[in-house]
Amino acid sequence: MKPILVTGGTGQLGTALRELAPRFGVELAAPGRDELDLASPPSIEAMLQSRDWGAVINCAAYTAVDKAESEPDAAFALNAVAPEILALETFARGLRLLHVSTDYVFDGTKAGPYIENDPVAPLGVYGASKEAGERGVRAANPDHIILRTAWVVSPWGHNFVKTMLRLGAEHDQLRVVADQHGCPTSATDIAETLLTILTKGGPAGTYHFVNSGDATWCDLARFVIDRARFGAKVEAIATADYPTPAKRPANSRLSTRKIQDTFGISPRPWQDAIGDVIDQLVRV
C-alpha cells in the first residue's frame, strides 16, 4: 500500500493513528507544521505533490470550542478552508480523503441519537466551522469519508479525562455539568475505525463513530474518579451554573448503526474504552 498522509499527526487522533498503523500494515507520514502549513494552500499543494500518496486522513482541527468564539477566522481557516483545499487536491490526484468531524454540527434539540442525515444546526463558531468543512469536502471530492465523532479522550494531549485526573488529585470536591448528554470516545478506537475503513474500502459518505452507550459529563467525571480510586466527590450541576463563551448541545449522542451495517464496525462500550485510557494515565 502507498503511504498515507496524515494531517494533525501530533494530536490525540494523529498519535493514535501512528501507534496503530503498523498493526494494519500501513505506512503513515505525519509532517509537522514546519513541513505542512494548513493555512497555506501552496504548502498543501506542495505536500500532495511531494510523494505518491495512497490517501489522506485529515485529523487537523481548531478544537478550542470557547476560544473559537473570539477567533472565528482562525477556526474557519483550519476547520473549513483547509479541508476544502485538501479535498480539491486529493480529487485532482484521484485520492480518497478521510476527514474527521464532530457532534457539534448538531444543535442538541433532538430527543434521541443523531443519524447522519439529520439536519445540521451548529450552535457556535466551532460547530459552524466544522460543518462548513464538511460541505467543502463533499463538494470538492466525491471520494470522501466524513467521520463524525464526539467527546474524544486519550492518554495524549488535552482532554476531559486528563483534566479530571488532575483536579481529582488536587481537590476534595468537583462540580461537573450533568445536563449535557453525549458519547465518550477513545481516540484509539477512532483511529482503529479510520484504518479499518482505509484498508477495507467501502462506499464514500458521512458516518458516525463513537463508543457505545452515553453519559453526561458528570457521569464521565465520576467514572474517572472512581476508576482512579480518588476520594473526591463529584457534584452534579446544570449548564446554567457553568457558563461558557460557546453554547454546547444538550444532546450530542450519535447513532453508529450506519457504520456498523456498512463496515461491520461494532463500537465497544465507552466504559471499556475510557477505562483503558484511565489505566494508562494512572499507571504512568
Side-chain angles (χ1 to χ4, degrees):
M1 179 181 286
K2 296 176 182 178
I4 307 303
L5 174 63
V6 175
T7 66
T10 59
Q12 293 191 85
L13 183 50
T15 302
L17 281 166
R18 289 188 286 111
E19 286 218 339
L20 287 180
R23 191 208 304 172
F24 285 81
V26 172
E27 178 191 350
L28 295 184
R33 293 179 184 176
D34 55 331
E35 298 176 86
L36 174 58
D37 180 3
L38 290 170
S40 166
S43 178
I44 296 173
E45 182 180 4
M47 180 57 65
L48 266 295
Q49 288 177 342
S50 67
R51 296 180 69 175
D52 184 16
W53 302 106
V56 176
I57 303 177
N58 181 35
C59 303
Y62 184 110
T63 57
V65 175
D66 289 319
K67 198 174 180 182
E69 295 298 308
S70 59
E71 294 185 354
D73 290 346
F76 272 84
L78 194 53
N79 293 347
V81 178
E84 183 174 10
I85 295 170
L86 282 167
L88 288 166
E89 293 294 335
T90 49
F91 175 68
R93 292 162 176 79
L95 302 176
R96 169 162 281 192
L97 174 62
L98 290 78
H99 173 69
V100 180
S101 193
T102 177
D103 54 328
Y104 277 42
V105 300
F106 299 115
D107 64 8
T109 59
K110 185 178 180 178
Y114 282 91
I115 62 174
E116 285 78 359
N117 59 359
D118 277 332
V120 294
L123 297 176
V125 170
Y126 168 70
S129 66
K130 292 295 289 183
E131 193 277 321
E134 289 188 5
R135 282 187 281 113
V137 167
R138 290 191 193 99
N141 186 353
D143 189 13
H144 65 262
I145 297 288
I146 294 172
L147 190 73
R148 293 185 184 133
T149 189
W151 293 28
V152 181
V153 299
S154 73
W156 314 288
H158 302 286
N159 59 67
F160 182 83
V161 165
K162 293 181 79 172
T163 298
M164 290 301 104
L165 287 172
R166 175 175 56 81
L167 294 177
E170 297 172 351
H171 302 280
D172 294 329
Q173 184 165 336
L174 307 177
R175 303 173 74 242
V176 184
V177 169
D179 55 0
Q180 295 174 24
H181 299 262
C183 305
T185 305
S186 162
T188 297
D189 290 28
I190 303 168
E192 186 170 18
T193 296
L194 287 167
L195 290 167
T196 298
I197 293 172
L198 179 72
T199 54
K200 287 180 64 173
T206 301
Y207 298 89
H208 292 169
F209 178 83
V210 286
N211 284 118
S212 66
D214 60 79
T216 66
W217 291 113
C218 185
D219 294 332
L220 180 54
R222 286 173 175 160
F223 181 81
V224 173
I225 297 302
D226 289 346
R227 184 85 171 207
R229 296 195 169 106
F230 289 156
K233 180 182 178 182
V234 180
E235 176 189 352
I237 63 171
T239 296
D241 297 324
Y242 188 75
T244 56
K247 188 176 180 182
R248 267 77 168 168
N251 169 38
S252 61
R253 292 175 291 165
L254 302 178
S255 168
T256 59
R257 176 54 54 193
K258 181 180 177 183
I259 204 168
Q260 291 184 60
D261 291 345
T262 305
F263 295 101
I265 294 170
S266 297
R268 59 178 171 154
W270 70 260
Q271 293 91 339
D272 293 345
I274 308 310
D276 284 352
V277 173
I278 298 165
D279 291 350
Q280 288 184 64
L281 288 167
V282 171
R283 191 167 59 240
V284 172

